[in-house]
Amino acid sequence: MLGEGILKGLAETAKNFAGSYVSKERLTTVQYPEERVAPIEATRNFPFLVYDGEDAFAGLRCVSCQICEKECPPKCIYIEKSKDKKPDYVGKPQNYPVRFDIDISVCMSCQICVEVCPFEAIKMDTVFELATDDRFGGLLLDREKLSKSNEYYHTIHPTEATEVDARLAEEKAKVEAKAKAAAEAAAAKAAAAPPAPPAAKPEAPKPTGGAE
Amino acid sequence: MKTVEEIKAAIEAAVPGAGVEIVQNPGPAAQHSLLLQPEHAVDVAKFLRDDAELALTFLSNVTGVDWPDKEITEKVKVTKMVTKTVDGVEQQVEETVEEPRKRVEPGYLEVVYHLYSMTKKHGPVVLRMRTKNRTDAVELPSMTPVWRSAEFQEREIFDLFGVVFTGHPDLRRILMWEGFKDHPMRRDYVEPDDYDYEPTAHDAVLAKATAHQARIAEQKGAGQ
Amino acid sequence: MSASATRQEGWSKAPAIVDYGEGELLEVSMGPHHPSTHGVFRMDVTLQGEQITKLKPVFGYLHRNHEKLGEGQSYLASMPYTDRLDYICSLTNNWAYALAVEKLVGQEVPERAEYLRVIVGELTRVQNHALSVGFLIQDMGASGTPLMYAFKEREKILDLFESLTGSRMMCNYMRFGGCRVDATPAWLDEVRRVVAGLPKFADEFERLLCTNEILMARTQGVGVLPAELAMSAGVTGPMLRASGVNYDIRKVDHYGIYDRFDFKVPLGSHGDVYDRFMIRLLELRESIKILEQALRDIPDGPVMDPKAKIRNFRPKPGEAYGRIEAPKGELGFYLISDGSGNPYRYRVRPPSFVNLTVLEDMCLGHNVADVVLILGSVDIVLGEVDR
């Protein structure tokens, strides 16, 4: 019958239109920004640097090994290594980044920096409302802007952050046990042979987690 | 499916004087390839397509590879007459010494064809052809009359590598624009100095940006 | 000028061009910014009246020399760039590249990862086919509504991708020797729920469109591609099967674990636009079948081979060509390794680029308005054509 297809099409459209008042399935529009869809946990957008504790500088996990800078496919990371050292989360003195810039106008959110980081220092953020009126300066994030606390990491990726914390705690426990054993051995040695030799410095093993 | 050796034998039986060589692939994929002589390539291709047992009707992939001139330094054993004092008497003695010698292995452009059979559902059979050099003798016969799927892919190789396919019906640039000079996929391609660099440049980009800005400043200075 | 004289003999079996006698030919440049060309793509068309007598596709507007980029960086760093080839189907691009590299180094993939690859690959096929059918109808002039129905379904699948891989379109999910992250049971349940709803969507779509007389009048007998030409021109994917050639790489190569699934390969008989449209809808249904089987059988286990290397990945010298049946056709990667960390040669064999070879043959003798439809039925993505 001529016009049958048009009638069918109109019926389908009418069904969807009427259905949108009763069924959530058929009403797919969300009135952003007043309304928002529920965030998805695995979402990734741009990288940030994680720090432990209160102080963004003292707790910064990054030791500026520059692996992410080398592996970054579009080369959007720029790191300047420090000359001096600061203690990391196990107390071992490590370098820190004097400058850590990510140009998010170049970054393509591929997550390879996160995968190659051996120190769990760089993670993916979920912030997407980054519009700015300064194309160059506004989209170039420096170390201060990139540093975000571990608590923040827990709020955006709770499952992943818990896993990372467990892994780091395990490593820390291992290092502490080793340090303790070394200290005991040194003490025993000192007791056996009195002019005391300088206490043996515990050697922290290089953390290996994170390389999926 | 036939092995590469069997295919080679079949080609040589069908196309006399084809002079096919086997190029071994040392990797775990073991996709060995057949190196064709350009003079006989079209005949060989027609045979591969029309042979009832092989029936390689489907040319899947055509691509170019650039192998630039290689400078090889090798030690060569040379026999020389050397004056030596043996038992207090000076005499000419033959002696073999190793001398480093530099030799330039000429580069070439290579075209690789991956063939499958749509009817027999086997493959791949890999064909290769090589140009004589990378500058003036870069002609190779086109496979487009045999397999139509080579049409755009050979145009792309002409565009990006600079291989000239004789017998191609419409050999023009395809990805770069008309009037573009160089062939960007060659390994010695130098990017034109016509960029606006972002202010966050670093590493290699920073070096390039500095050179670029210095050149612009120089040109401005010369213009005044 | 007679148009048929410019073509090589035996290439084209397009409808005979009606000679209107003395008349001027009109050259029109369709594109590059034309809403129907699915990206920046131009066709230099010569018209005699309304009929096409010559059509030359012009592209390269999106050319960024993807292959050169791949040669200048490590094997892993090319993975996120493959997402940007066919940006509708990033996961199958990942898969093809991972497969080629795994062939190059002889890497095994764990069972669960193979299942996950099939699940995400078939979901990609479903959303690509839904989208391409939707766009085809949009090209026909049915602005919006059917396309939005297709988008609605695609949105659900993109949400699944986001919760698994972290990104809706640029997934960057597969690695050499497995997948980057494991799927949670909750994710698999969500996939089961979405897959259970897909047949309903396909029914609704078919009811709405398949017997629509406007669609039939516009597509049947338009843009016929004969089987011999399709084979010779290396056309692959739904376009080849619509011409009646039974060639599906999932069935031919059995790459991954496709030999374990029971599915059919739909074939067309006319090779016109309508057949290509129907083949996509039928393939969508077969993909649902594969998804149901994969979701039923997926085992537990690791998703990454523990021996696989991420950093300092250096394959031994050699070469490999790996290919998969991407939603648009055969997607192949050809890699040559010279033993260093970067590939010596990194080549993408893009399906839509090769499928465009026959665009002129299909369009000759048809009206200008049909060109838009025929191009829509080829299903191209310019990110892949131009690379």
Side-chain angles (χ1 to χ4, degrees), chain B residues 148, chain C residues 10-13 225-235 358 361:
Chain B
R148 178 79 190 283
Chain C
W11 274 18
S12 167
K13 280 184 186 156
L225 178 67
E228 307 84 65
L229 176 65
M231 272 200 269
S232 159
V235 171
V358 287
D361 302 70

Side-chain angles (χ1 to χ4, degrees), chain C residues 92-107:
Chain C
T92 45
N93 299 345
N94 284 182
W95 193 356
Y97 181 49
L99 190 89
V101 177
E102 280 152 11
K103 258 193 183 164
L104 183 70
V105 294
Q107 171 78 52

Side-chain angles (χ1 to χ4, degrees), chain C residues 150-167:
Chain C
F151 260 74
K152 196 176 78 184
E153 217 57 31
R154 173 174 179 253
E155 204 60 25
K156 290 179 193 158
I157 293 172
L158 290 188
D159 280 346
L160 289 176
F161 289 167
E162 183 169 6
S163 53
L164 178 66
T165 70
S167 189

Side-chain angles (χ1 to χ4, degrees), chain C residues 67-186:
Chain C
E67 294 176 7
K68 189 100 179 170
L69 284 176
E71 287 170 16
Q73 59 193 5
S74 66
Y75 284 85
L76 176 63
S78 287
M79 186 59 91
Y81 282 105
T82 62
D83 292 337
R84 280 127 180 110
L85 284 170
D86 175 357
Y87 42 79
I88 310 280
C89 322
S90 67
L91 282 157
T92 45
N93 299 345
N94 284 182
W95 193 356
Y97 181 49
L99 190 89
V101 177
E102 280 152 11
K103 258 193 183 164
L104 183 70
V105 294
Q107 171 78 52
E108 295 289 319
V109 181
E111 190 91 331
R112 187 177 169 84
E114 290 279 23
Y115 272 90
L116 280 174
R117 285 181 179 191
V118 169
I119 291 170
V120 294
E122 293 304 321
L123 282 174
T124 306
R125 197 181 312 278
V126 168
Q127 58 111 347
N128 176 73
H129 284 354
L131 204 64
S132 81
V133 168
F135 270 120
L136 180 68
I137 290 157
Q138 161 105 340
D139 289 344
M140 214 177 298
S143 320
T145 314
L147 179 64
M148 282 304 136
Y149 291 160
F151 260 74
K152 196 176 78 184
E153 217 57 31
R154 173 174 179 253
E155 204 60 25
K156 290 179 193 158
I157 293 172
L158 290 188
D159 280 346
L160 289 176
F161 289 167
E162 183 169 6
S163 53
L164 178 66
T165 70
S167 189
R168 286 154 49 85
M169 287 170 81
M170 303 295 131
C171 297
N172 185 18
Y173 179 56
M174 286 167 204
R175 291 290 176 267
F176 318 130
C179 298
R180 184 161 51 81
V181 285
D182 196 359
T184 58

Side-chain angles (χ1 to χ4, degrees), chain B residues 25 60 64 66 128 186, chain C residues 68 246 319 330 344-345 347:
Chain B
N25 174 1
S60 163
D66 183 16
R128 282 164 187 273
R186 290 207 183 181
Chain C
K68 189 100 179 170
N246 184 0
E319 60 172 58
E330 174 188 327
Y344 183 81
R345 179 79 179 95
R347 150 83 179 165

Side-chain angles (χ1 to χ4, degrees), chain B residues 8-152:
Chain B
K8 179 179 184 253
I11 291 172
E12 274 164 359
V15 186
V20 181
E21 284 171 48
I22 293 175
V23 180
Q24 293 290 336
N25 174 1
Q31 294 168 339
H32 308 299
S33 45
L34 295 164
L35 179 66
L36 306 186
Q37 300 300 324
E39 305 86 65
H40 302 285
V42 175
D43 292 337
V44 172
K46 278 193 181 134
F47 163 71
L48 291 175
R49 184 192 61 182
D50 299 334
D51 184 57
E53 202 181 334
L54 287 168
L56 297 164
T57 46
F58 172 36
L59 171 60
S60 163
N61 177 43
V62 188
T63 187
V65 188
D66 183 16
W67 300 96
D69 301 347
K70 259 192 291 190
E71 197 174 76
I72 299 170
T73 315
E74 53 187 3
K75 293 224 163 129
V76 188
K77 282 194 173 165
V78 192
T79 314
K80 270 191 193 165
M81 295 300 284
V82 190
T83 317
K84 260 193 176 175
T85 321
V86 182
D87 306 330
V89 188
E90 265 197 17
Q91 49 183 187
Q92 293 274 316
V93 186
E94 258 192 27
E95 203 181 51
T96 317
V97 282
E98 281 201 339
E99 263 188 8
R101 189 171 290 183
K102 276 188 184 164
R103 171 168 72 88
V104 175
E105 201 171 79
Y108 49 83
L109 300 166
E110 191 174 40
V111 181
V112 186
Y113 296 82
H114 284 85
L115 298 170
Y116 287 86
S117 172
M118 276 200 187
T119 43
K120 304 266 176 186
K121 310 222 183 318
H122 58 221
V125 172
V126 191
L127 305 181
R128 282 164 187 273
M129 281 194 286
R130 288 173 185 170
T131 60
K132 291 203 181 64
N133 59 30
R134 297 172 70 247
T135 47
D136 48 352
V138 288
E139 281 89 16
L140 283 180
S142 167
M143 292 292 177
T144 313
V146 187
W147 293 285
R148 178 79 190 283
S149 65
E151 187 185 347
F152 278 12

Side-chain angles (χ1 to χ4, degrees), chain A residues 88-205:
Chain A
D88 68 351
Y89 65 100
V90 291
K92 193 191 169 197
Q94 294 272 25
N95 289 84
Y96 60 90
V98 179
R99 216 175 125 190
F100 196 115
D101 292 345
I102 294 182
D103 188 350
I104 56 167
S105 63
V106 175
C107 175
M108 60 182 195
S109 315
C110 66
Q111 210 181 10
I112 280 181
C113 50
V114 178
E115 273 167 70
V116 298
C117 180
F119 301 95
E120 311 279 3
I122 190 163
K123 295 288 166 198
M124 295 309 272
D125 208 340
T126 54
V127 177
F128 57 91
E129 289 148 322
L130 292 154
T132 162
D133 53 4
D134 178 8
R135 188 184 149 210
F136 297 117
L139 292 176
L140 178 69
L141 303 186
D142 58 10
R143 196 187 70 199
E144 280 70 40
K145 276 190 213 150
L146 285 168
S147 301
K148 287 181 182 166
S149 67
N150 197 20
E151 285 72 52
Y152 174 76
Y153 181 36
H154 272 274
T155 57
I156 54 171
H157 301 303
T159 326
E160 196 189 296
T162 315
E163 274 169 29
V164 168
D165 273 4
R167 209 151 50 213
L168 289 176
E170 197 183 311
E171 265 162 33
K172 200 173 175 181
K174 241 189 252 168
V175 171
E176 270 167 5
K178 207 174 165 191
K180 212 175 151 193
E184 272 168 14
K189 214 174 168 191
K201 204 171 142 202
E203 192 64 31

